[in-house]
Amino acid sequence: MTSASPLPFHTSPPSMWTALCIVFILVPGAGADSPDPTTTRNGGGSQCGEYTNQVLEDGMCRLVATLPQLEEKRCPDMFRCTDEVSYWLHENQERKQQVAALQETVTQLQQELRSHRHHIKALEHQNEEKHQVNATVEQHFSELEMRYVEATNALQLQGSLILELQDQLHNLTVLMESVKQNPGCMINIVRPNPLMNAQEALHPEVQHVRSCPIDCATIYYNGVRRSGLYTVVPAHGGMPVEVYCDMDTDGGGWTVLQRRADGTVSFDRSWRDYREGFGDLNTEFWLGNEHIHDLSTQGEYSLRIELEDWSNKHKHALYQSFSVEDEEHQYRLHVSGFSGSVQDSFSWYHDKQSFSTPDSGNICAEISHGGWWYNQCFYANLNGVYYRGGRYSPRARGPLGPDGIVWYSWRDSDYYSLRQVTMMIRPRYFRPRLSP
């Protein structure tokens, strides 16, 4: 059996020791970083035995040496193995340095691992963003596809409408040719009229007018009592023309030929413009000499001229007989039978005069900047320059003479321009009826 005794110690008689001695040495910090708390080393010779160390809780190292007994049955001197112990301690210190280096390597590896994890998280975040972007792009693409389908459907619908309109236009063209060849016409009403009853308005494309209205008086006799735009077909001309019907003045039934109201339309126009007509039927316009000829020669017509100055004074002139010849005769004027609330400045001087425009070579038309039935030059000119305020200077736009909207007898002056004028006709023997 063996027993252990702490070292260092003093040698005692053999009787005081057992056959084997165990030495304990406490070394501060020795072996503290060793991964194995207990390390065993063999000595270099037969007398140096084995050595172990262990880390204690207080940070100290416990060193235990187990030495073989001497022949005299006593414990050997511990310090004879000093070199061996020093070698073991030195080796233990190298292992400690290796462990420290390993720990540093592990720390670096841990930092790299954290860096790699961070990089992986960043890549995952980028991947999520790319996924979101892809989802957004897919959503936009889906919306674009839906819009493309809607646009395609709308385009197809518009194509169908265009084809339908083309068919209607073709039918209307054929109809107009038929009307032109046969004055006793039957025309389709292409669009609903607000004056139709509810049942007729449901199917405007199949409604017919059995006898075409030749003027606004005919429309009046058909029961229409509201002023506005209507289509008439003159008996001799045969071509439909849109006109403004005055259903209010002196019983109604008037077809308006000309209107001046605000100066928005220039009447300094060519022969062609005056022949075909120009302006806006709702404001200022000239219906057109060709239409005036067709309307005024299909029967006996009277002419009414409404006049208003810049002080809101209103007067009128009425002529029992009015007509205009064709272009071959330069739209020569025939007007007579004056009455009214203003003195006549028109028929007595302009009757039987040809129509002239600034481009026809007539000096009066050039001076007056408008088309009219001039006679060296005029006492009445309702197509002159629109001067606001009434009076204008002889040296204004026309230095060679007056060029305003003139009715000489209004103020016995050529240099007063009226504010509003309207020329309109209706059958001479027209008789207003009670409204239905």
Side-chain angles (χ1 to χ4, degrees):
M1 298 295 295
T2 60
S3 63
S5 177
L7 292 178
F9 57 88
H10 296 282
T11 304
S12 299
S15 60
M16 298 176 60
W17 301 95
T18 58
L20 183 65
C21 294
I22 300 176
V23 179
F24 297 96
I25 300 176
L26 297 180
V27 180
D33 295 327
S34 174
D36 188 355
T38 303
T39 303
T40 302
R41 289 287 185 268
N42 291 324
S46 61
Q47 295 182 353
C48 291
E50 295 179 351
Y51 308 94
T52 62
N53 68 332
Q54 184 180 10
V55 179
L56 301 180
E57 292 180 357
D58 58 359
M60 301 297 287
C61 292
R62 182 179 182 183
L63 180 62
V64 179
T66 303
L67 306 178
Q69 293 182 356
L70 299 176
E71 293 179 356
E72 294 84 354
K73 304 296 183 182
R74 62 182 181 85
C75 289
D77 186 357
M78 170 64 182
F79 296 102
R80 291 187 297 105
C81 298
T82 300
D83 293 338
E84 185 69 21
V85 172
S86 298
Y87 171 81
W88 182 86
L89 290 176
H90 176 71
E91 184 178 3
N92 192 53
Q93 183 64 25
E94 288 181 352
R95 287 181 173 269
K96 179 180 177 182
Q97 292 177 355
Q98 291 176 358
V99 169
L102 289 174
Q103 287 182 339
E104 184 177 356
T105 301
V106 170
T107 301
Q108 292 178 355
L109 291 174
Q110 289 177 343
Q111 290 179 353
E112 291 180 2
L113 179 60
R114 285 193 296 268
S115 177
H116 285 303
R117 288 177 177 175
H118 178 73
H119 184 63
I120 291 173
K121 289 183 178 179
L123 291 176
E124 291 176 349
H125 181 69
Q126 291 179 358
N127 189 38
E128 291 178 356
E129 291 181 347
K130 290 182 179 179
H131 180 72
Q132 294 177 355
V133 170
N134 291 336
T136 303
V137 170
E138 291 178 355
Q139 182 179 0
H140 288 172
F141 182 76
S142 177
E143 293 176 355
L144 288 175
E145 286 184 335
M146 294 178 60
R147 292 182 180 179
Y148 175 78
V149 172
E150 294 175 355
T152 302
N153 294 335
L155 184 60
Q156 293 176 351
L157 178 60
Q158 289 180 354
S160 300
L161 293 175
I162 290 174
L163 292 176
E164 183 178 355
L165 290 175
Q166 288 177 343
D167 292 339
Q168 292 182 3
L169 180 60
H170 175 72
N171 294 336
L172 183 60
T173 302
V174 174
L175 179 63
M176 290 179 65
E177 290 297 329
S178 175
V179 168
K180 185 176 181 180
Q181 295 175 2
N182 181 16
C185 62
M186 179 182 291
I187 62 173
N188 290 325
I189 300 177
V190 179
R191 59 188 177 191
N193 191 306
L195 301 177
M196 292 180 179
N197 59 45
Q199 184 64 29
E200 291 174 335
L202 291 177
H203 305 285
E205 70 281 359
V206 298
Q207 300 300 319
H208 297 81
V209 177
R210 295 193 175 277
S211 58
C212 297
I214 62 174
D215 56 17
C216 292
T218 309
I219 295 176
Y220 176 92
Y221 286 139
N222 287 337
V224 178
R225 302 292 190 270
R226 181 181 299 175
S227 297
L229 302 183
Y230 301 92
T231 300
V232 299
V233 183
H236 300 314
M239 290 299 296
V241 57
E242 192 172 33
V243 298
Y244 186 91
C245 294
D246 185 338
M247 301 299 188
D248 302 311
T249 302
D250 191 28
W254 296 99
T255 303
V256 181
L257 306 180
Q258 180 256 27
R259 184 190 292 124
R260 305 297 297 277
D262 53 16
T264 56
V265 176
S266 171
F267 277 64
D268 188 358
R269 301 290 186 115
S270 66
W271 177 269
R272 179 178 179 180
D273 288 342
Y274 273 97
R275 179 184 64 200
E276 298 177 357
F278 57 86
D280 185 345
L281 291 174
N282 290 299
T283 55
E284 295 194 332
F285 67 93
W286 180 260
L287 186 61
N289 288 335
E290 197 65 30
H291 298 312
I292 295 174
H293 163 71
D294 292 339
L295 290 168
S296 65
T297 58
Q298 62 183 348
E300 296 184 18
Y301 280 82
S302 298
L303 171 68
R304 183 182 178 98
I305 300 178
E306 298 287 327
L307 306 168
E308 182 180 329
D309 67 7
W310 290 88
S311 60
N312 298 322
K313 184 182 295 185
H314 181 271
K315 296 182 181 182
H316 76 278
L318 181 64
Y319 300 91
Q320 292 299 318
S321 179
F322 171 82
S323 66
V324 172
E325 297 185 33
D326 58 13
E327 186 175 17
E328 184 180 355
H329 297 89
Q330 297 181 328
Y331 302 114
R332 185 182 293 117
L333 172 68
H334 297 272
V335 58
S336 61
F338 168 77
S339 65
S341 59
V342 66
Q343 294 183 9
D344 183 22
S345 292
F346 184 43
S347 65
W348 73 272
Y349 191 74
H350 295 273
D351 182 36
K352 295 182 177 59
Q353 300 302 313
S354 298
F355 198 86
S356 300
T357 57
D359 64 342
S360 65
N362 187 294
I363 186 63
C364 296
E366 294 179 11
I367 293 173
S368 302
H369 303 99
W372 193 247
W373 297 278
Y374 292 104
N375 179 16
Q376 302 302 325
C377 282
F378 59 82
Y379 270 83
N381 177 18
L382 304 185
N383 289 343
V385 179
Y386 193 92
Y387 287 104
R388 299 184 182 277
R391 294 192 179 277
Y392 62 98
S393 169
R395 296 288 182 180
R397 180 176 178 183
L400 299 179
D403 61 352
I405 303 174
V406 175
W407 191 272
Y408 183 82
S409 63
W410 189 277
R411 295 195 179 185
D412 294 330
S413 173
D414 290 329
Y415 292 98
Y416 184 85
S417 184
L418 294 172
R419 181 179 183 179
Q420 292 186 4
V421 297
T422 304
M423 299 175 65
M424 49 192 175
I425 63 173
R426 74 181 178 188
R428 180 176 181 178
Y429 300 105
F430 176 85
R431 293 293 180 269
R433 298 176 180 178
L434 296 176
S435 299

